[in-house]
Amino acid sequence: LNQNKFKHRIRQLFYFDKWNIGIIDAPIEEVALQKDKIWEVKWIEETTESQFIADPFGCEIDENHILLFENYINDKGKISSKKNTEEIKTQLELPIHLSYPYTLFYEGRWYCLPEQSASHKLEIFQIHPITYQLEHPVEILSNFKAVDPSLILKDNKWYLFCTDASNKGADVRLSIFISDSITGPYRPHQKNPVKTDISSARC
């Protein structure tokens, strides 16, 4: 663990983040299993030095492929989208930093769960089927700085995985919250944090 912390600190001191998004025309399981294959990657337009795009999540609405992602510019992220070959559009911008627009489909609706840890809360949004704007937010966690929130349904229970940005824990401590409904209320796992490891706790 100490070695992982050292590597993480060196990276913070001597490197800066510069991300972009590439698309491979193949199912993700093929990419994962065919590790020796060289895939053709279609990169989204290169951004300026002060801007990058990252954290891509997809959805398919009326046979349109929609990509939602973090659009980071001037030290703050917003959630943008790209439909097929169309231009990038802003879908959610708040006074705080937004990133990691986790998408999921449930009971005929597309949802998005963007990270907004600076607000000390977590909201889930519906994706508008025509404009793709993020709307009708419902607060599902309060007084918690959730980082990279990821939501899955298993055995009729919703499991929310995220780390906690408090006390420099964004990369270190993994927590789980559980609910009977996608919109909560969510209760913390009795053994939170369920994992403490700087190399693999963050989603």
Side-chain angles (χ1 to χ4, degrees), residues 105-119:
F105 186 75
Y106 180 64
E107 293 188 341
R109 292 178 177 173
W110 278 98
Y111 292 86
C112 183
L113 189 68
E115 179 193 316
Q116 48 183 301
S117 60
S119 68

Side-chain angles (χ1 to χ4, degrees), residues 178-189:
I178 306 164
S179 177
D180 297 320
S181 168
I182 189 173
T183 54
Y186 283 81
R187 61 187 183 276
H189 192 286

